[in-house]
Amino acid sequence: MAMTDKKGGSRKRTERRGNLITGYAGKWEPLFEKKAAARATAARVLSGVSEGVIRAKNTGGTVRVTYVIRSSDEEPEIEIEEITPQKDALDIALAAAKQRGSERVAEILKRPEMLSADEFADEIGSTRETVNKKRKRHEVLGLEGAKRGVRFPKWQIGDDGQLLGGLAQLFEALNGHPWAVYRFLLQESGSLGGRTGLEMLRAGRIEDAVGAARSIGKGDFS
């Protein structure tokens, strides 16, 4: 607790308790002249401090409570505000990277080949419910974004209308991550002779594709 020198009957004081910062400024004489009004003012101030404590506990952050008392006849001015901690360079860089990732996902999901569950169901002659069940069983690849919901790449359907084989094994090899499967299917791989996982599955070389995916899943990127 810190207190300034008394000047002209007025004092200012600030106090910090954990994540709560409080302070007040005002003239003291009127408070003692009208005890009833002073008690009401004090109660209002304590109520504001209590509200600040509750907010600090609920948010887990730092809350500043500022109250100004000019006279016991006037309602004290109380302001409660959350103090946003300053971010360091790493926090800023991580936030920027996350934003770029979100924008990249949105860009991919709005491509023409990305179908809704209903559109995908029409392509394979099925229903939306069946498509969603197949997605949960990893029989089809569904990619989820923040705004566009789940989208299904059309290229996982062959010219004969049949679904791409080997997806369930790929999901298992890549720890069940849809976006990891998507990247593996479209990215050329040295372990596959410069071919993509999608090309390998279409050629029926499921074991070769799954073996390469399993190496990636274990962290072998050579």
Side-chain angles (χ1 to χ4, degrees):
M1 179 184 297
M3 180 180 293
T4 62
D5 295 334
K6 181 176 179 181
K7 295 182 180 180
S10 298
R11 293 184 179 179
K12 295 181 179 179
R13 182 169 65 178
T14 59
E15 183 176 355
R16 184 184 186 102
R17 296 180 180 179
N19 286 343
L20 185 66
I21 304 171
T22 64
Y24 65 79
K27 296 182 178 181
W28 286 92
E29 289 85 357
L31 296 179
F32 294 99
E33 293 174 359
K34 298 181 180 180
K35 293 183 179 180
R39 285 195 294 269
T41 299
R44 178 70 182 92
V45 169
L46 290 176
S47 176
V49 173
S50 177
E51 183 179 346
V53 171
I54 293 174
R55 186 178 300 184
K57 289 183 178 180
N58 289 339
T59 62
T62 299
V63 174
R64 176 185 288 118
V65 180
T66 304
Y67 44 98
V68 179
I69 306 171
R70 294 188 176 86
S71 168
S72 61
D73 296 330
E74 297 182 21
E75 189 76 8
E77 298 178 9
I78 300 178
E79 180 180 359
I80 302 175
E81 59 180 331
E82 295 181 17
I83 302 176
T84 303
Q86 293 184 346
K87 295 183 178 180
D88 58 23
L90 178 58
D91 290 332
I92 295 174
L94 290 175
K98 184 177 181 180
Q99 178 62 29
R100 289 194 299 271
S102 298
E103 293 174 354
R104 177 61 174 162
V105 167
E107 177 187 331
I108 291 174
L109 294 184
K110 70 180 181 181
R111 292 175 178 174
E113 71 268 20
M114 293 296 174
L115 307 179
S116 67
D118 290 327
E119 293 170 334
F120 194 84
D122 290 340
E123 290 287 336
I124 64 174
S126 185
T127 65
R128 177 189 182 93
E129 290 73 21
T130 299
V131 169
N132 286 324
K133 288 180 180 178
K134 288 181 177 295
R135 179 174 70 90
K136 292 178 181 178
R137 293 196 298 262
H138 294 159
E139 295 174 7
V140 298
L141 173 62
L143 302 169
E144 190 169 2
K147 296 182 179 180
R148 303 184 67 86
V150 180
R151 289 292 184 268
F152 300 83
K154 185 177 179 178
W155 42 251
Q156 62 186 308
I157 305 174
D159 295 335
D160 56 358
Q162 297 299 311
L163 293 172
L164 194 65
L167 280 179
Q169 295 96 309
L170 280 185
F171 268 97
E172 182 180 359
L174 295 171
N175 303 311
H177 298 304
W179 283 102
V181 172
Y182 172 84
R183 181 178 180 181
F184 175 80
L185 288 172
L186 298 188
Q187 183 172 281
E188 295 180 352
S189 173
S191 59
L192 295 177
R195 306 179 73 181
T196 66
L198 180 59
E199 290 173 333
M200 298 295 286
L201 292 186
R202 284 177 173 173
R205 298 177 60 180
I206 295 177
E207 292 185 3
D208 292 335
V210 172
R214 189 171 290 115
S215 296
I216 294 174
K218 292 180 179 179
D220 181 8
F221 297 95
S222 59

